[in-house]
Amino acid sequence: MLAIDLTGKVIVVTGGGTGLGRSMTETFVRCGAQVAICGRRSHVVEEAARALGPAVRAYTCDVRSWESVEAFLGKVVEDFGQLDAVVNNAAGNFLAASETLSPKGFRAVVDIVLIGTFHVSRWAGAYWIANKRSGHILNIVTTYTDTGCAFVLPSAAAKAGVQALTLSLAYEWAPYGIRANAIAPGPFPTEGAWSRLMPGRNFEEEYKKRLPTRRYGEHAELGALAAFLLSDLAPYITGAVIPIDGAERLQGAMFNYLAQISDRETLKQAFEALRQATRSASE
Ligand code: HXC
Ligand code: NAP
């Protein structure tokens, strides 16, 4: 049996006290890793570390601040004696019409998502290069990094930047044995995302009906992908941006709207009628 083994690895998860960060941390621990989680709210990360067990340690860090990141990652290396991977998961996002967005609001998201990811990646990369160690940067982006997205302008711009950072570092640091990858999740229910991005219960149900799989992602599915990428099973995967979205990102393709019609028999009859009509027209 092939299993994902993270034994002996020390992994940093930013924003690891809540949502997907917390779920990935739980999976990493189940695979044998030790995990350092951080967030701005100390009580949140401390409660998560208590719940997840002795392999998890909590740190208070604001990724927007270089000094805070330096102190956090320096302490992680001091506490664990090593660092093998960083997961840039911390993020901010909200729905807003772009013409009403204040410059401070735009910066609030870009500072967490893009600048924070740079701070953590920069510190970890320099540490691995100076210590001649291999390492892995795993960035959590979104499926709208190539398309942009209405009403989440700062997030779309920042996550596109994180994707470019991922691809740039994958190439630049490959000779040092440092990998850089990104996971692009589709919709996964979390308190942080749902409270800011789901305008209501009805919307949640309607949205689900439009998903090709008719369901949201499950946290364990994302955890398994992240653990696989961080493991020694994936040494040749670098510079990859991997969607995990049940094909949701493809709904814009021209005829994909037809797949929204749940009665496939009616659809097939319509296709057949078209075929007959074109056949008789060409006779
Ligand atoms: C318009 C808003 C706003 C909103 C804040 N601002 N929320 N503008 N609509 N809903 C503006 C404020 O008015 C202010 O500008 C500026 O942003 C800073 O606000 P603060 O509250 O002081 O910011 P801060 O405390 O730094 O909080 C950052 C935050 C907050 C991003 C605004 O939401 C946060 O802490 N989020 C962290 C968790 C999170 O967002 N999780 C969701 C990730 S989900 P002015 O000019 O008025 O002073 C995700 C999923 C994507 O990314 C894909 C889903 C499918
Ligand atoms: P979440 O629970 O709100 O997670 C965000 C985390 O980031 C929180 O723990 C928050 O903790 C931390 N954080 C925010 N600002 C920070 C800062 N300046 N410094 C350090 N930590 C900070 O949301 P989530 O849904 O799990 O999202 C996790 C990741 O998945 C994000 O990158 C998000 O963009 C991505 N994603 C989510 C979905 C989805 O459907 N849920 C879809 C696509 C992508 P504090 O507030 O305590 O700092």
Side-chain angles (χ1 to χ4, degrees):
M1 190 182 66
L2 188 63
I4 301 174
D5 185 5
L6 298 176
T7 308
K9 291 193 191 296
V10 175
I11 301 167
V12 158
V13 180
T14 67
T18 65
L20 298 180
R22 180 172 166 150
S23 299
M24 283 189 280
T25 299
E26 192 177 350
T27 304
F28 299 158
V29 169
R30 284 180 49 210
C31 295
Q34 291 180 283
V35 187
I37 60 172
C38 81
R40 292 167 297 181
R41 292 165 298 162
S42 49
H43 70 276
V44 171
V45 278
E46 277 158 18
E47 188 281 318
R50 255 195 310 278
L52 295 172
V56 180
R57 283 202 204 191
Y59 300 81
T60 307
C61 169
D62 185 336
V63 296
R64 295 172 297 186
S65 153
W66 172 245
E67 289 72 27
S68 182
V69 167
E70 271 190 306
F72 163 48
L73 295 178
K75 188 78 172 68
V76 168
V77 170
E78 192 183 311
D79 290 348
F80 291 93
Q82 69 189 71
L83 170 63
D84 300 290
V86 292
V87 181
N88 285 302
N89 164 81
N93 204 351
F94 53 76
L95 286 173
S98 300
E99 66 274 22
T100 67
L101 195 58
S102 76
K104 218 175 137 197
F106 187 82
R107 205 174 301 120
V109 172
V110 173
D111 273 353
I112 305 170
V113 174
L114 180 56
I115 306 296
T117 298
F118 165 72
H119 285 156
V120 171
S121 307
R122 159 70 176 80
W123 195 97
Y127 160 80
W128 290 320
I129 291 166
N131 291 281
K132 297 191 167 36
R133 293 182 66 99
S134 58
H136 190 186
I137 296 163
L138 180 58
N139 296 326
I140 308 302
V141 294
T142 56
T143 49
Y144 47 65
T145 46
D146 291 328
T147 56
C149 193
F151 305 117
V152 288
L153 179 70
S155 172
K159 293 285 191 183
V162 172
Q163 180 167 304
L165 179 148
T166 310
L167 304 181
S168 306
L169 292 181
Y171 203 89
E172 184 175 338
W173 288 350
Y176 298 111
I178 297 170
R179 294 190 292 133
N181 290 299
I183 293 177
F188 283 71
T190 67
E191 169 62 27
W194 257 224
S195 62
R196 292 174 176 89
L197 302 168
M198 280 290 174
R201 183 81 201 156
N202 279 354
F203 187 88
E204 185 183 349
E205 282 307 310
E206 279 309 306
Y207 187 51
K208 188 163 38 178
K209 281 187 211 149
R210 285 180 34 226
L211 298 174
T213 54
R214 311 286 186 263
R215 72 169 176 91
Y216 291 117
E218 289 177 12
H219 287 210
E221 295 172 316
L222 179 73
L225 174 60
F228 166 72
L229 288 172
L230 294 187
S231 78
D232 296 336
L233 294 171
Y236 205 52
I237 301 180
T238 189
V241 181
I242 301 173
I244 174 165
D245 71 337
E248 188 255 356
R249 73 195 177 287
L250 305 175
Q251 66 185 342
M254 190 178 273
F255 296 105
N256 282 359
Y257 76 96
L258 291 170
Q260 303 289 339
I261 297 165
S262 53
D263 182 353
R264 292 291 165 105
E265 283 313 310
T266 305
L267 197 59
K268 283 184 214 162
Q269 283 165 18
F271 292 163
E272 187 53 32
L274 275 179
R275 184 181 170 177
Q276 296 303 337
T278 47
R279 188 176 283 164
S280 48
S282 63
E283 278 167 4

